[in-house]
Amino acid sequence: MDINALELFVKHGLGMEKLLTPLYDAISEAKDQNEKRKDQEINTISEDIKIIQKMASIKLRDFERYFGKYIKQDNQDNCPSQTSMSDTDLERIRTRYPGIEDQIKKTIKIDSRNWEKMKTKYNLSCIVINKILEKTNESEENYETGETKKFAIETFYNMLTDIESDLNKLLEKYTQQSKVRRILNNVFKTSNIKKAEQMTSKESDEEFIKKLFEFELFEKKIINVSIEEYHKWKNEDFPNNLKKILPSTQNNKQLDKLKREYEEEKKIIEKNMFGQICNEIEKKYKDGGRVSSLL
């Protein structure tokens, strides 16, 4: 006979439900204590989420400094609580979530396809524009430096912001437009596409942003193209990336452990109370042997 059968026997066979009160009280107490520990763990998880979000926010602001004055950051630099955290909180997070800092670094890697396309188009435009400047310098024809630079900047910006996503078609389009300038023959070569793609795959986002400011034809409107794409990633993709690494109450190992602990404690209580209830029944009946045989 197990505890469930004993309950039925006591209730319906003997009509002695009071014998089950200590069992129910012990289980109720164990459940209450377990629920308190669960609530405490859930509160801890909520605090952990806030701390990890703060860690990610600090990392993101550090990354945004590569844009310098061209990107507006939240007015939090003068608020230490938003730009730093206690060593105690940091160590607790590191202990509870090993590798979390590496995961945060991955979340601030700009992984949107549009950003990658923009980088490749930028690199391709750089290659083309540098070729234009080289061809102009080598040419014996009398092109004014200011006019050439203006043409180069306009071509660069137009290529970068062109809605055409197919790079082969993009080059073909600007090849046709540049035919009026004979010195630009072979500038818009399709072989430059592969070179641009290789540049994009090898350079980090930090290296790319640094390159933006070092380009000799640097202009704010060109920077704004990358900043606009960055903000799209920050507002649309970054929150989802961060959400994936945040702790959750769903499928949480610690909460699952607490659940198992309660189930184990409940079994121990039932095992101990089984014998006590049987002893109480035997005390109520002088013919204890007959009752024991029923049990």
Side-chain angles (χ1 to χ4, degrees):
M1 178 181 288
D2 61 16
I3 192 68
N4 294 323
L6 179 61
E7 283 187 73
L8 292 174
F9 176 67
V10 171
K11 285 181 181 179
H12 305 294
L14 302 177
M16 300 169 64
E17 287 190 52
K18 288 185 178 180
L19 291 178
L20 300 174
T21 299
L23 169 66
Y24 296 152
D25 288 346
I27 292 176
S28 178
E29 175 65 19
K31 186 174 183 180
D32 288 344
Q33 292 300 319
N34 189 267
E35 288 295 327
K36 288 179 181 178
R37 291 195 292 271
K38 282 174 61 178
D39 290 342
Q40 184 178 6
E41 179 61 24
I42 290 172
N43 289 335
T44 299
I45 291 172
S46 296
E47 288 301 313
D48 290 347
I49 289 173
K50 293 177 184 177
I51 294 172
I52 293 172
Q53 287 174 327
K54 185 176 178 181
M55 291 169 67
S57 179
I58 291 172
K59 285 289 185 183
L60 191 63
R61 284 199 297 276
D62 287 342
F63 172 76
E64 288 180 343
R65 289 191 173 95
Y66 284 95
F67 286 103
K69 65 181 180 179
Y70 293 95
I71 194 167
K72 184 179 179 181
Q73 292 191 337
D74 298 332
N75 295 322
Q76 296 174 332
D77 291 337
N78 296 324
C79 183
S81 65
Q82 296 298 322
T83 57
S84 62
M85 62 181 59
S86 70
D87 291 338
T88 302
D89 284 343
L90 189 57
E91 285 305 315
R92 181 166 67 83
I93 293 299
R94 285 171 173 168
T95 301
R96 284 173 61 88
Y97 310 97
I100 189 65
E101 288 171 296
D102 289 335
Q103 293 181 57
I104 289 174
K105 287 180 182 178
K106 291 179 181 178
T107 65
I108 64 172
K109 184 182 185 304
I110 308 175
D111 55 358
S112 73
R113 288 180 59 83
N114 287 337
W115 173 263
E116 289 299 307
K117 288 179 180 179
M118 184 274 297
K119 285 173 64 177
T120 303
K121 189 180 284 188
Y122 178 91
N123 285 328
L124 179 60
S125 301
C126 278
I127 294 170
V128 168
I129 297 312
N130 283 328
K131 291 290 184 182
I132 290 176
L133 296 176
E134 288 175 11
K135 287 277 188 179
T136 302
N137 291 333
E138 293 171 359
S139 174
E140 295 180 356
E141 297 185 32
N142 185 24
Y143 284 98
E144 293 184 7
T145 303
E147 180 188 352
T148 302
K149 184 176 181 180
K150 181 180 178 181
F151 171 76
I153 291 175
E154 288 178 353
T155 302
F156 188 108
Y157 181 74
N158 291 338
M159 286 183 66
L160 187 60
T161 57
D162 200 297
I163 61 173
E164 180 57 69
S165 59
D166 187 308
L167 298 182
N168 286 289
K169 292 181 180 179
L170 182 71
L171 285 184
E172 176 62 26
K173 177 178 179 179
Y174 286 89
T175 298
Q176 296 298 323
Q177 292 181 7
S178 67
K179 281 184 176 179
V180 294
R181 294 175 176 248
R182 289 181 292 103
I183 64 168
L184 300 186
N185 291 338
N186 298 320
V187 165
F188 298 90
K189 295 189 296 184
T190 55
S191 60
N192 288 329
I193 294 176
K194 186 174 182 180
K195 185 177 179 181
E197 290 173 340
Q198 290 175 339
M199 290 170 64
T200 300
S201 65
K202 290 180 180 179
E203 65 188 358
S204 66
D205 293 328
E206 291 85 352
E207 290 170 334
F208 172 73
I209 295 168
K210 185 179 179 181
K211 184 173 68 176
L212 287 175
F213 295 99
E214 293 177 346
F215 188 51
E216 62 179 300
L217 297 181
F218 166 81
E219 282 202 353
K220 188 175 185 297
K221 66 178 182 179
I222 293 175
I223 290 292
N224 285 342
V225 174
S226 64
I227 290 177
E228 181 181 349
E229 203 58 59
Y230 167 76
H231 277 301
K232 287 180 182 178
W233 169 84
K234 180 180 178 180
N235 296 327
E236 298 172 9
D237 297 332
F238 173 67
N240 292 328
N241 292 345
L242 181 58
K243 187 177 180 180
K244 292 176 183 177
I245 70 168
L246 293 176
S248 169
T249 55
Q250 301 295 322
N251 300 319
N252 183 277
K253 291 182 179 180
Q254 187 59 28
L255 291 177
D256 290 342
K257 180 182 177 182
L258 288 173
K259 182 179 179 180
R260 290 194 302 271
E261 287 178 354
Y262 167 69
E263 294 298 333
E264 289 298 320
E265 187 175 5
K266 183 170 179 284
K267 288 179 181 179
I268 293 172
I269 291 171
E270 290 174 341
K271 181 179 179 180
N272 293 336
M273 294 303 298
F274 186 94
Q276 292 183 32
I277 293 170
C278 289
N279 290 336
E280 288 296 322
I281 293 173
E282 290 183 350
K283 288 179 183 178
K284 295 287 183 180
Y285 291 87
K286 292 182 179 180
D287 189 4
R290 186 168 61 86
V291 175
S292 296
S293 66
L294 292 173
L295 299 175

